[in-house]
Amino acid sequence: MISDYYGSPPPDLSGFARTADPSFTGQARVPAGTAGAPALAINGDPDTGLFAPGADTLALSTGGAERARVDAAGNLVVGGLSSIQPGTAPTYRAGAFQVRSTGAGMNVERYTSAGSSPPALYLAKSNNVTPGWHGAVSDGTITGEIQFHGSDGAKFLATAAIRSAVDGASGTDDMPGRLLFLTTMDGGTMPTERMRISANGTVTMGATPGGESLRVTPVAAAVNTLEAAGAVSGAAPTLSVQGANADIDLKLSPKGAGHVRFGQYTAAGGLTVTGYVEIKDAGGVVRRLAIVN
């Protein structure tokens, strides 16, 4: 583009665009440029603008440094010069939106009146290969996952993950779900399930259901609960009943012909007292049950 020319005789400028409100027919081509000298720069700020660092790639620079690019695969990379390289699959994958920074992270903020919806991050899954179209998900389909990774010096490896999945048969206006928490064991490279909250509210801990160490089962309309509380040095932890009723028993229920055991247990041999279980009777008198070994 050139500016208006005032003189005599004026040259023929019919093939050129004006500097004020120019218009073009067809393509307007510019050189590739660089981060320090972008092809399309801001007037008065020549090191800020758009440039092409490679074929089918468009980048944005400010202050002479690249800040973001859209690569040939359509990935938007902010703060880095190229798409993040994946580690050993499936531990780490390059996403369509990637952010690299030496700063603290990303912020999502919303400013509105009291009682309005908070800022939100939505993860959604459709079993249709066409973007924008719906395809019903089924039992077990993973609908979203947040992964945490650390570098071993050569590649990123997962340390933990939070995963959401369909938990049962889905249908119109019916989408049961479960939430899983996973961690990677020492010497491992992939996280495994440690806790699950199922669609019905059951919580399992330690492993997948069937191999869990602890199960918490919800009861409809429950008003009494079991509370486990820790203690300071020299005090005993507490397992107690809490809830709406003033007087409620604590029930320990073994399975089948099993027993409720306290302390060490030996089916045969000497009867050495190793401790006591204190029980207060209806009259308030403390009774002792000996723990023998």
Side-chain angles (χ1 to χ4, degrees):
M1 285 180 273
I2 63 173
S3 63
D4 289 330
Y5 177 85
Y6 297 95
S8 180
D12 180 11
L13 302 179
S14 59
F16 296 90
R18 299 171 58 87
T19 57
D21 301 323
S23 61
F24 302 90
T25 300
Q27 290 184 319
R29 300 186 181 184
V30 297
T34 63
L40 293 176
I42 305 300
N43 187 29
D45 193 3
D47 59 0
T48 297
L50 297 173
F51 69 101
D56 302 318
T57 303
L58 182 64
L60 169 68
S61 66
T62 63
E66 180 178 333
R67 307 302 183 185
R69 70 167 58 185
V70 179
D71 64 20
N75 299 319
L76 174 58
V77 184
V78 178
L81 300 182
S82 61
S83 177
I84 296 172
Q85 296 301 308
T88 303
T91 58
Y92 198 74
R93 295 184 176 91
F97 176 50
Q98 305 168 31
V99 178
R100 298 177 183 175
S101 173
T102 58
M106 297 187 297
N107 292 10
V108 179
E109 303 174 0
R110 184 179 186 186
Y111 302 89
T112 184
S113 59
S116 300
S117 298
L121 176 65
Y122 295 91
L123 305 178
K125 174 67 167 67
S126 169
N127 281 351
N128 192 314
V129 298
T130 303
W133 291 82
H134 284 285
V137 294
S138 57
D139 183 27
T141 299
I142 297 175
T143 57
E145 184 165 309
I146 301 174
Q147 292 191 8
F148 306 89
H149 293 77
S151 175
D152 67 355
K155 59 187 177 298
F156 286 118
L157 297 174
T159 58
I162 302 173
R163 178 182 299 166
S164 168
V166 181
D167 194 25
S170 63
T172 302
D173 296 328
D174 179 19
M175 192 60 59
R178 60 176 176 258
L179 193 62
L180 287 71
F181 295 83
L182 306 89
T183 62
T184 302
M185 65 184 302
D186 187 23
T189 59
M190 289 292 293
T192 54
E193 181 178 336
R194 306 301 183 189
M195 185 173 78
R196 172 183 300 210
I197 305 174
S198 300
N200 65 357
T202 298
V203 179
T204 54
M205 300 179 65
T208 56
E212 70 272 18
S213 300
L214 175 66
R215 174 184 292 264
V216 179
T217 303
V219 176
V223 296
N224 298 307
T225 60
L226 182 65
E227 179 182 279
V232 297
S233 177
T238 302
L239 188 65
S240 63
V241 175
Q242 303 292 330
N245 298 131
D247 300 297
I248 294 295
D249 295 336
L250 175 61
K251 178 182 179 181
L252 300 177
S253 181
K255 182 179 180 180
H259 298 82
V260 176
R261 300 181 182 181
F262 298 91
Q264 298 178 345
Y265 175 81
T266 302
L271 299 179
T272 303
V273 176
T274 60
Y276 298 93
V277 176
E278 294 184 345
I279 300 176
K280 185 178 292 186
D281 64 20
V285 178
V286 176
R287 307 294 185 180
R288 282 185 171 184
L289 297 179
I291 301 173
V292 299
N293 185 15

